[in-house]
Amino acid sequence: MGTNNKLEELAISLYNIDAVKFGEFMTKIGIKTPVYFDLRVIVSYPDVMDLISVLLYEYALKDKKCDHVCGVPYTALPIATLISVKTKTSMLMRRKEAKSYGTKKVIEGHYKQGDSCLIIEDVVTSGSSVLETVTDLRKEGLKAEEVIVILDREQGGKQNLAVNNVQMKSLFTMTELIDILVKNNKITEESGKDVINYLKNVQAPQSAPEFERILLPYEKRAEFATNSIAKQLFTIMATKKTNLCLSVDLTSSTKILDLLEKVGEHVCLVKTHIDIIEDFTNDFIVRLKQLAQTFNFLILEDRKYADIGNTVSLQYSKGLYQVGEWADCVTAHSLPGEGLLKALNNSNNGLSRGVFLLAEMSSEGNLITKDYTETTVKMAAKYPEIITGFVCQKKETFKDPGLIQLTPGVQLESSKDELGQVYNTPEKVILENGADVVVVGRGIVAAKSPVSEAIIYKDTLWRCYMKRVSGKME
Ligand code: S5P
């Protein structure tokens, strides 16, 4: 029997054993649906189990090698078992409940870091269940980049998975399954069309596990970036192997330039407060740009714009500093609303420019609330071409892997200054709090030997990042 005939046979069997039902139902994530799949019943039908495993093998495993297979608990577990036995491929088992016990292993079986694992699932709606399994496998250092499913409900799951670097193949899409059932007079053409239309109109919300973004390496993140400065910064970090942003909070232009001569090779980004420099001239800008070119770093002017669009536009492009002419990116508050982002977007003179929006602050007692942070992130999503990322403190703040988390308030020891600045350690901000680029100011510029201190920061921060993307977080 050819593959197409087998698919047709499977579709009809699923219908006959009530694994697919038509009516009105509710899915796990609360979406109302006129069609429901309950593939748990297939365990009572060995012929159906056999057919499914043969088809999955032909679709996903015949021409491909993977070190392990892993079924998403629970429905796909017996299917994964059959495939494992048939193809003599090792199986891994993910515990669903281990998290609440704390110490128990989440992934059972024998494996090595870097091993590839094919994931098997019955039905995908939003992709969230698959992503939970992907995340647990990646935390163990396994490569989890492919999933094979019986049915793709075509409600956004495939896209959600792709954003998280997981390619999905399916035996049937919803449209294909309905076509077969209509052709075989199991359901009418009319009700088939109704189901398709309904499902297409009810797309699952974008969902990704909170730590997905931070497990991806910078070179991969560059592919997701929509802002050209974010793309450049990810690429610089990956090639120079540094995620250190030096905040050159010094008031003498010579001191700044002297320091950058020596540490330029160790940083990906230099952050300025141009209005604190006492001997500012245009020459300073010329030299700064030359150093940026020589050492391949970007320049962030930490101006923290916070006015109406028109004023911000003037502050950005006019006056003594003409920031828009030389700074690759700037910081801005979301407080005044979207007008500010529109102003910055329209004032770039055709140059590649970016904005880091302040979603949280490092200082004690700041007035930013959870609501403010969430609204800031939503506002930024409307300006993908200009937003480079967020100045923020927590990994939960945003999910988009194409944006950069810039985190200030970092020193080698956790501490505070006398004006409310709170310092966390590199380990904490990168491994726990999700920082992508780490801002260090006085930790380096006020050190006895700023150059050797910069190297210590660079090495420590990079080590933490490598640990994070290797998946070994504990
Ligand atoms: O929340 C913030 C946002 C910023 S941009 N907290 C901050 O400290 N910053 C800036 O980061 C601050 O203006 C300063 O330039 C730098 C931190 O400097 P440090 O000397 O405390 O490391």
Side-chain angles (χ1 to χ4, degrees):
M1 187 163 43
T3 303
N4 280 342
N5 291 342
K6 281 190 218 150
L7 271 177
E8 200 157 326
E9 186 192 328
L10 176 61
I12 295 165
S13 302
L14 290 175
Y15 180 85
N16 289 341
I17 64 172
D18 264 354
V20 47
K21 290 188 255 188
F22 294 84
E24 192 149 286
F25 310 94
M26 202 63 105
T27 68
K28 187 175 140 195
I29 57 168
I31 299 178
K32 211 162 78 176
T33 164
V35 63
Y36 185 70
F37 290 85
D38 181 3
L39 267 69
R40 280 166 294 196
V41 300
I42 58 176
V43 289
S44 308
Y45 301 90
D47 289 346
V48 175
M49 292 289 281
D50 194 27
L51 192 51
I52 288 174
S53 56
V54 167
L55 280 165
L56 288 176
Y57 166 73
E58 283 175 6
Y59 263 60
L61 277 147
K62 202 162 74 179
D63 310 313
K64 222 174 174 140
K65 251 283 4 84
C66 60
D67 298 312
H68 311 275
V69 293
C70 177
V72 175
Y74 289 98
T75 313
L77 284 183
I79 305 171
T81 313
L82 281 181
I83 290 177
S84 160
V85 172
K86 264 191 204 213
T87 61
K88 303 273 178 279
T89 307
S90 142
M91 179 168 114
L92 299 176
M93 207 159 58
R94 170 178 171 251
R95 284 177 178 279
K96 221 178 162 176
E97 66 288 340
K99 276 179 196 144
S100 49
Y101 295 84
T103 51
K104 265 203 188 144
K105 275 183 83 174
V106 179
I107 304 293
E108 300 288 358
H110 281 170
Y111 52 87
K112 300 190 300 303
Q113 290 231 353
D115 279 0
S116 60
C117 183
L118 173 76
I119 296 164
I120 297 167
E121 173 64 311
D122 57 342
V123 182
V124 162
T125 305
S126 72
S128 61
S129 299
V130 172
L131 282 175
E132 283 169 15
T133 297
V134 165
T135 302
D136 280 346
L137 292 169
R138 286 181 179 169
K139 274 173 101 175
E140 291 301 309
L142 287 149
K143 261 204 279 180
E145 295 176 352
E146 281 177 274
V147 56
I148 171 89
V149 310
I150 300 172
L151 179 85
D152 170 9
R153 289 178 57 119
E154 297 175 286
Q155 284 176 287
K158 191 168 184 162
Q159 292 77 356
N160 265 349
L161 290 167
V163 166
N164 286 287
N165 199 23
V166 181
Q167 304 316 313
M168 180 180 106
K169 278 190 184 173
S170 56
L171 293 187
F172 310 102
T173 60
M174 195 67 201
T175 317
E176 288 161 352
L177 183 78
I178 299 269
D179 280 352
I180 297 175
L181 294 178
V182 170
K183 200 177 112 194
N184 287 277
N185 300 320
K186 296 289 176 191
I187 54 171
T188 64
E189 204 170 332
E190 186 88 74
S191 67
K193 270 193 192 135
D194 282 352
V195 170
I196 297 290
N197 284 339
Y198 187 88
L199 294 183
K200 293 226 157 118
N201 288 331
V202 187
Q203 290 289 305
Q206 286 275 314
S207 66
E210 59 191 34
F211 29 76
E212 259 319 290
R213 154 174 75 87
I214 70 169
L215 290 181
L216 293 175
Y218 297 140
E219 52 271 36
K220 189 81 210 164
R221 304 268 301 272
E223 292 171 22
F224 292 109
T226 46
N227 167 249
S228 57
I229 297 298
K231 205 179 262 295
Q232 275 185 54
L233 192 48
F234 276 131
T235 310
I236 290 174
M237 290 196 275
T239 43
K240 282 180 77 176
K241 298 196 188 320
T242 172
N243 47 10
L244 171 62
C245 165
L246 177 62
S247 183
V248 280
D249 297 343
L250 298 166
T251 55
S252 141
S253 58
T254 349
K255 281 202 177 132
I256 294 176
L257 295 171
D258 282 353
L259 181 60
L260 291 181
E261 283 278 358
K262 295 178 197 124
V263 301
E265 65 183 290
H266 303 298
V267 303
C268 60
L269 185 67
V270 167
K271 187 171 83 59
T272 54
H273 283 292
I274 202 69
D275 52 358
I276 65 172
I277 298 177
E278 289 172 328
D279 54 353
F280 176 84
T281 60
N282 274 333
D283 257 11
F284 171 73
I285 297 298
V286 174
R287 283 290 298 133
L288 180 64
K289 290 298 279 180
Q290 279 169 350
L291 289 167
Q293 191 137 45
T294 310
F295 293 115
N296 191 25
F297 59 74
L298 296 182
I299 303 169
L300 166 65
E301 164 54 19
D302 190 6
R303 175 62 180 76
K304 297 195 182 69
Y305 294 105
D307 214 318
I308 59 163
N310 185 59
T311 306
V312 167
S313 170
L314 293 168
Q315 289 171 322
Y316 181 70
S317 45
K318 307 283 180 196
L320 189 56
Y321 302 117
Q322 306 202 345
V323 173
E325 289 296 313
W326 52 270
D328 298 294
C329 43
V330 294
T331 52
H333 284 290
S334 54
L335 183 79
E338 284 177 42
L340 171 148
L341 289 179
K342 278 188 198 143
L344 290 171
N345 205 9
N346 295 339
S347 313
N348 62 14
N349 262 338
L351 299 164
S352 281
R353 293 295 179 244
V355 177
F356 279 98
L357 262 194
L358 275 103
E360 280 151 350
M361 289 200 73
S362 62
S363 45
E364 221 168 32
N366 71 74
L367 303 184
I368 293 178
T369 61
K370 197 162 172 273
D371 260 7
Y372 180 96
T373 303
E374 282 171 14
T375 317
T376 301
V377 172
K378 278 194 198 128
M379 186 200 291
K382 295 192 200 162
Y383 296 86
E385 66 285 11
I386 184 84
I387 298 292
T388 309
F390 297 99
V391 178
C392 66
Q393 297 286 326
K394 297 200 219 71
K395 69 169 184 242
E396 294 81 10
T397 304
F398 70 96
K399 288 185 173 159
D400 186 339
L403 296 175
I404 295 177
Q405 174 173 340
L406 184 80
T407 301
V410 178
Q411 289 207 353
L412 295 173
E413 306 284 335
S414 30
S415 58
K416 284 184 190 166
D417 77 3
E418 63 286 0
L419 296 174
Q421 171 74 307
V422 179
Y423 292 112
N424 289 307
T425 62
E427 285 77 13
K428 179 149 170 82
V429 294
I430 292 193
L431 293 170
E432 276 179 51
N433 298 357
D436 295 315
V437 176
V438 170
V439 177
V440 182
R442 284 163 289 174
I444 292 173
V445 298
K448 270 206 195 95
S449 167
V451 182
S452 38
E453 203 68 8
I455 296 171
I456 293 174
Y457 272 96
K458 168 196 157 184
D459 291 345
T460 312
L461 293 167
W462 192 256
R463 210 173 339 103
C464 293
Y465 158 75
M466 289 304 286
K467 191 168 169 190
R468 177 169 105 182
V469 291
S470 79
K472 273 280 170 205
M473 305 273 283
E474 272 88 31

